[in-house]
Amino acid sequence: ILLMAGSAASYGENQSSGNLLKSNGFISGDENGNLNESAPLTRAQLMVLMAQLNGVFDQAKNFEGSGRFSDIDYTYAWYGSYIAYAEKMGWTAGYPDGTFKPSGVVTDKELATVLYKALGYPVKDLVFDKVVADLGNKGVQVSALS
């Protein structure tokens, strides 16, 4: 498995990784269908992507719970329900100061940590500074290009 966030790798003639994901129904782009592949992936966008890739997009979109992050408006922010769902599922824990930083650019370690948790690996075994290499040893190559 290879997941690259914020990149436009090419597959086949004139088909980027984003277009490949879009053509197979994994992602839909922004409200206009644009993939914006040259823009870095934000932490909020990653939670939406994780819901899509895990087949729970509608559940996450319509999730009515709230989370603990002080910088998320769970009622009005377009990403609020996705972040609350991701927190409930254990995919994210945010930052020690109680924030999520939805506009923050996803780093390799953050992407790998979310994948590690979403793939069901034991959190007790997760070492943040080694998570990219640990996933690589499990056959999952991660790169979040910012």
Side-chain angles (χ1 to χ4, degrees), residues 72-91:
I72 303 297
D73 182 336
Y74 292 97
T75 304
Y76 297 107
W78 65 267
Y79 47 75
S81 63
Y82 299 100
I83 293 171
Y85 187 86
E87 184 181 5
K88 176 185 178 253
M89 297 304 294
W91 300 340

Side-chain angles (χ1 to χ4, degrees), residues 10-40:
S10 294
Y11 298 92
E13 189 173 328
N14 298 321
Q15 187 164 21
S16 68
S17 56
N19 282 322
L20 184 64
L21 289 170
K22 185 176 181 182
S23 68
N24 285 292
F26 288 108
I27 60 174
S28 58
D30 66 14
E31 63 276 359
N32 298 314
N34 300 318
L35 295 178
N36 304 314
E37 291 179 281
S38 62

Side-chain angles (χ1 to χ4, degrees), residues 40-50 69 71-72 78-79 82-83 86 91-96 99-107 109-111 113-114 128:
L41 186 69
T42 68
R43 292 171 51 80
Q45 291 167 332
L46 176 59
M47 296 305 108
V48 175
L49 180 60
M50 291 305 299
F69 303 122
D71 60 341
I72 303 297
W78 65 267
Y79 47 75
Y82 299 100
I83 293 171
W91 300 340
T92 187
Y95 289 95
T99 62
F100 182 78
K101 300 181 174 123
S103 299
V105 174
V106 176
T107 67
K109 290 177 186 175
E110 290 171 338
L111 175 59
T113 299
V114 169
F128 187 69

Side-chain angles (χ1 to χ4, degrees), residues 50-81:
M50 291 305 299
Q52 290 171 314
L53 293 175
N54 281 285
V56 293
F57 179 78
D58 289 334
Q59 293 98 311
K61 180 180 180 180
N62 298 314
F63 187 70
E64 294 185 8
S66 62
R68 63 175 181 81
F69 303 122
S70 61
D71 60 341
I72 303 297
D73 182 336
Y74 292 97
T75 304
Y76 297 107
W78 65 267
Y79 47 75
S81 63

